[in-house]
Amino acid sequence: MQRRAAIVLAVLAVVVVLLYQLRDVLVPFVAGAALAYVLDPVADRLERLGIGRLAATFVILAVFLLLLVVALIVVVPLAANQVAALVASMPAMITRIQAIIADHAGPLLERAGGSGALQELQSSVGNLMGQGATWLLGFLRSLWSGSQAIVGIVSLLVVTPVVAFYLLVDWDRMIATLDRWVPPRHRDTARLLARDIDGAITSFIRGQSLVCLILGTFYAAGLWLVGLNFGVLIGLMAGFLTFIPYVGSLTGFLLSTGVALVQFWPDWVSIVMTLAIFLVGQFIEGNVLQPKLVGDAVRLHPVWLMFALLAFGSLFGFLGLLLAVPIAAALGVVARYGVRRYLQSRLYHDGTPILAADGLPPVAELTPPALSKP
């Protein structure tokens, strides 16, 4: 067992090092695998309708590429123009917010902290917003500047569909091959763990994607009806970032509040309506969308998911964002299985043999026994 554990840990270490060293090269391949994984149920459904696997793959990828091309031609330029206009308006917004602070909070701050308190607060607000705008502008420029970035974008758009096509055609065959590689003694347990991992990943991706789409539409429509400048952009951005718990709503709330103060002041009704849109959106997300669309099958704690996305994104960039959710879901399933095994083990029950020594029972049959009274 120690030798097996050492081999597994060594293989995992080698895989992590290779992923880190090849993170830029692997992005289109991992993106293609993720695309094939998401589209495989659609291909299976088309097969049940009598369409061959190859033809079903052609149809699915053709529709996907058509939607992608429409998005690149129509949506991306509009979004880029809106983002550029928002960044360009940042200096005027900063100046306006500083003026509002000086007009309404100046006397109170001077009485509380002296004559320099107001200047210090204005300077802090200006520096903070200026640094945020500079970082955002530099980040957007870095996406499109440099030969490496251009090559990465081209490879993502060209290589990813090709990889997805071949993987989608051979997906069932690859899964069957991996199943045969598992030792027969542990095959039932491996299948149960794989089904649990697959259920957690698919439930989260499909459910959370619908949550992002619904919230983005709600925020964009609500801010547009209020008449907020850049309201559609802020709403869609907040909905897209909802994939990371609390990040989307907090980002949209702060951006819309700043724009609303600059645009509507002193019209408190419009400002309160802007804030109410995000409060209602949070209520709908927590009480309706998350329980109905995501549910308890995922069992990924928001803090664990947020840490996984930020940690993998920091280490591996865009590749890390692609791998964060599957790895977090897989680790969660394995950890819960390990806890159930521990509760059935001799170590937990003071040496009393609980499990059969010749193999692992199915996970579904592992229920913690009642402890005997002393």
Side-chain angles (χ1 to χ4, degrees):
M1 291 298 295
Q2 292 179 353
R3 185 166 56 252
R4 291 178 181 176
I7 293 174
V8 171
L9 291 177
V11 171
L12 288 177
V14 171
V15 170
V16 171
V17 172
L18 288 176
L19 286 176
Y20 183 77
Q21 295 295 330
L22 301 175
R23 58 189 182 276
D24 296 328
V25 179
L26 291 176
V27 168
F29 297 93
V30 176
L35 185 61
Y37 173 78
V38 172
L39 297 178
D40 177 66
V42 182
D44 292 338
R45 183 167 299 181
L46 291 178
E47 277 191 293
R48 288 194 293 270
L49 295 176
I51 303 176
R53 184 74 180 189
L54 184 61
T57 303
F58 269 119
V59 171
I60 293 170
L61 286 182
V63 174
F64 176 81
L65 290 177
L66 178 62
L67 295 177
L68 180 62
V69 169
V70 171
L72 291 176
I73 294 176
V74 178
V75 178
V76 173
L78 293 176
N81 292 333
Q82 288 287 304
V83 171
L86 177 61
V87 173
S89 65
M90 282 291 181
M93 292 174 56
I94 295 172
T95 303
R96 176 61 176 162
I97 291 176
Q98 288 177 331
I100 293 174
I101 293 174
D103 292 340
H104 296 81
L108 179 61
L109 290 173
E110 289 180 355
R111 287 196 299 268
S115 58
L118 178 60
Q119 288 78 8
E120 292 179 2
L121 179 61
Q122 287 180 317
S123 177
S124 299
V125 172
N127 291 334
L128 181 61
M129 297 188 68
Q131 290 175 2
T134 302
W135 177 86
L136 179 60
L137 185 60
F139 173 74
L140 294 175
R141 287 176 177 172
S142 67
L143 292 178
W144 300 100
S145 63
S147 59
Q148 185 175 1
I150 298 298
V151 171
I153 294 173
V154 172
S155 65
L156 190 65
L157 296 177
V158 175
V159 178
T160 298
V162 177
V163 173
F165 173 79
Y166 284 108
L167 292 181
L168 193 57
V169 170
D170 296 330
W171 189 267
D172 294 337
R173 194 179 309 154
M174 291 188 302
I175 297 300
T177 301
L178 292 175
D179 183 74
R180 288 195 299 270
W181 288 354
V182 179
R185 177 182 175 184
H186 304 297
R187 192 166 292 169
D188 291 337
T189 302
R191 289 172 178 172
L192 286 171
L193 286 175
R195 281 196 292 267
D196 287 344
I197 293 172
D198 177 70
I201 295 174
T202 54
S203 298
F204 177 81
I205 292 178
R206 295 171 185 171
Q208 195 67 19
S209 298
L210 287 175
V211 170
C212 294
L213 179 62
I214 294 173
L215 283 181
T217 305
F218 172 78
Y219 289 145
L223 296 177
W224 176 75
L225 290 175
V226 172
L228 185 71
N229 292 335
F230 311 106
V232 176
L233 174 65
I234 295 174
L236 294 178
M237 186 185 304
F240 176 77
L241 292 177
T242 302
F243 198 81
I244 307 176
Y246 310 115
V247 173
S249 58
L250 181 61
T251 302
F253 179 82
L254 294 177
L255 282 176
S256 61
T257 301
V259 175
L261 285 174
V262 173
Q263 179 182 350
F264 297 127
W265 184 269
D267 182 9
W268 280 103
V269 175
S270 298
I271 297 175
V272 171
M273 288 177 62
T274 302
L275 302 181
I277 289 172
F278 282 91
L279 295 179
V280 173
Q282 281 298 289
F283 177 82
I284 295 174
E285 179 188 3
N287 295 276
V288 179
L289 298 180
Q290 285 287 347
K292 297 294 184 181
L293 297 179
V294 181
D296 298 330
V298 180
R299 301 175 70 181
L300 286 177
H301 196 277
V303 176
W304 168 240
L305 177 62
M306 190 183 304
F307 171 79
L309 286 168
L310 294 178
F312 279 86
S314 176
L315 290 175
F316 301 104
F318 185 69
L319 176 65
L321 295 178
L322 293 175
L323 295 175
V325 173
I327 293 178
L331 291 178
V333 170
V334 174
R336 290 191 293 270
Y337 174 78
V339 170
R340 292 197 296 268
R341 285 302 309 270
Y342 165 71
L343 294 176
Q344 293 284 328
S345 66
R346 301 176 182 178
L347 179 64
Y348 182 79
H349 291 279
D350 298 327
T352 303
I354 300 299
L355 295 177
D358 57 347
L360 303 178
V363 177
E365 297 179 6
L366 292 178
T367 56
L371 297 178
S372 58
K373 296 182 179 180

